[in-house]
Amino acid sequence: MSHRPTGFAAERVLTLDTVSRQAQAPVIWDQMTEHLRTVPGVESVALSGGALLAGQAWNGFVSVNGAPPGPVLAFFLAVSPGWMDAMKLPLIEGRDFRPSDTAPGSAMVSATFAKQFFPEGNPVGKWYARGANRFQIVGVVRDAPYKDVHEPMLPVAYVPLRTLNSTGALQAIRRATFVVRTYSANPIALASTLRREVPRARPGFRVSNIRPQADLVRAQTVRERLLAMLALFFAAVALLLGSIGLYGVLDYSVLQRRREIGIRMAIGAQAGHIARGVTADAFLMVLAGALAGIALGLVSARYLTTLLYQVQAADPAMLAIPLGTIFAATLLAAVPAVIRAVRIDPATMLRNE
């Protein structure tokens, strides 16, 4: 899940959740954007209503071709011109927003949105409506996870951050998110500088939260990574305890059977025969335990499936890896006992007897 493609490039991106003491005209926010672009180390800056995968959701039902709204929820995000470039979200068809584009009026849609509501062909130039507001699609962009990487790709429409109110005037904005792409591989190094620059450029503005976009992506898999780490830890402890126990049993077995081993070697038994005799029972026990574990795992597969992503609970490769690890640990635990057994001197042993 950590390697699931997101559609955008999260590396080198900072998201600055910014709030103004009083709602400001969009032109003021545009001036702030231009100012942040002049900060050394900044590659590009854009504005949005919120960051992707930050947990917020703005959705509603849309209608196409004058039909009543359908049963499928569409999701929306307000963005400025250049936001697609700052996020490296590729444009498939059409164009990016222009400074003159407003909402309602223009929209860009994701590939899933286009497939869901315009399955008959290219949606660029077509219209959809949300309530009394109509939007003409000017571009189609690649799919990107909207609020949760665990979900399938949602139908998303990106609308201009410049919004007209009921009188046709541009609506003032009180809070928005600056998306800042940096040149540095470590964007957090610019965090304190950008946090200072925002109120310095406009005293009424302040940054309420600043996060790397990559951290927002990683935060989506905290539960899975924690479960994987805990499972790995307890598996390693179990394997270590099992190996130590097996080593102790085999070593004690050799001590108990040293007379028998000495006699076998005295009448011509080879080292390989002695090694097989020492380890056969142990490997049979491990094999029986492994088969029992696999059987239990297959029985509980339907419960395990909820913890897995794009991996089948009965995937042969996934079963082979731990099985191979167990037998490798068994072999390692058996080596000292085998060495002790083949080094027994038959003459010394019989003399002692």
Side-chain angles (χ1 to χ4, degrees):
M1 187 173 289
S2 296
H3 293 86
R4 180 187 180 186
T6 59
F8 59 86
E11 298 76 18
R12 300 191 290 117
V13 173
L14 279 175
T15 62
L16 284 70
D17 297 331
T18 307
V19 62
S20 171
R21 203 162 25 231
Q22 294 180 337
Q24 301 289 337
V27 66
I28 302 298
W29 289 88
D30 292 341
Q31 291 170 2
M32 283 291 305
T33 302
E34 290 299 325
H35 176 75
L36 292 180
R37 285 184 185 135
T38 65
V39 175
V42 171
E43 179 182 338
S44 59
V45 183
L47 273 169
S48 68
L52 289 176
L53 298 176
Q56 80 277 2
W58 173 26
N59 55 37
F61 297 101
V62 301
S63 59
V64 178
N65 298 327
V72 178
L73 270 177
F75 291 78
F76 309 98
L77 182 64
V79 301
S80 71
W83 183 85
M84 300 293 168
D85 181 61
M87 293 297 293
K88 303 299 180 188
L89 191 59
L91 197 64
I92 300 173
E93 301 282 352
R95 63 170 176 85
D96 195 355
F97 288 138
R98 296 169 180 156
S100 58
D101 287 326
T102 59
S106 302
M108 289 188 289
V109 300
S110 68
T112 297
F113 187 103
K115 184 178 179 181
Q116 176 67 47
F117 297 106
F118 300 93
E120 67 280 359
N122 188 350
V124 175
K126 298 179 181 178
W127 296 77
Y128 74 84
R130 181 168 180 261
N133 297 322
R134 297 181 75 238
F135 296 82
Q136 184 180 36
I137 298 171
V138 298
V140 180
V141 299
R142 182 190 290 175
D143 282 324
Y146 180 80
K147 61 185 179 68
D148 195 333
V149 297
H150 302 83
E151 297 178 334
M153 289 299 179
L154 300 172
V156 181
Y158 300 94
V159 299
L161 194 64
R162 287 171 166 258
T163 304
L164 301 177
N165 59 24
S166 56
T167 64
L170 285 173
Q171 189 171 306
I173 302 169
R174 187 166 185 270
R175 59 180 67 243
T177 298
F178 289 103
V179 175
V180 181
R181 178 167 290 278
T182 68
Y183 288 109
S184 171
N186 180 26
I188 204 67
L190 270 179
S192 57
T193 301
L194 293 170
R195 189 184 288 274
R196 288 194 303 268
E197 283 298 317
V198 169
R200 192 173 76 82
R202 285 281 172 179
F205 285 71
R206 67 177 179 85
V207 177
S208 60
N209 199 4
I210 184 165
R211 296 166 291 182
Q213 181 68 54
D215 284 2
L216 293 175
V217 176
R218 280 192 293 269
Q220 294 282 312
T221 56
V222 166
R223 174 177 171 268
E224 288 77 12
R225 285 186 287 115
L226 178 61
L227 286 172
M229 285 167 50
L230 288 173
L232 180 62
F233 171 75
F234 286 115
V237 169
L239 189 65
L240 179 63
L241 291 176
S243 300
I244 292 171
L246 187 61
Y247 160 75
V249 169
L250 287 173
D251 198 59
Y252 182 70
S253 172
V254 169
L255 288 174
Q256 292 291 98
R257 297 174 59 191
R258 63 185 182 275
R259 180 174 179 274
E260 173 197 339
I261 294 170
I263 293 172
R264 287 179 183 275
M265 294 179 71
I267 60 176
Q270 299 298 313
H273 179 78
I274 297 297
R276 284 194 297 272
V278 169
T279 58
D281 290 343
F283 273 98
L284 284 174
M285 279 194 302
V286 171
L287 179 61
L291 292 175
I294 289 173
L296 264 173
L298 293 176
V299 168
S300 59
R302 60 176 179 171
Y303 303 107
L304 294 174
T305 301
T306 58
L307 300 175
L308 305 177
Y309 176 77
Q310 290 188 351
V311 176
Q312 297 300 317
D315 185 349
M318 293 299 102
L319 295 176
I321 292 171
L323 193 62
T325 304
I326 289 170
F327 277 96
T330 305
L331 185 63
L332 189 63
V335 166
V338 170
I339 292 174
R340 179 189 286 269
V342 298
R343 284 183 174 177
I344 290 175
D345 182 7
T348 303
M349 183 58 60
L350 294 175
R351 192 180 300 115
N352 289 340
E353 289 295 325

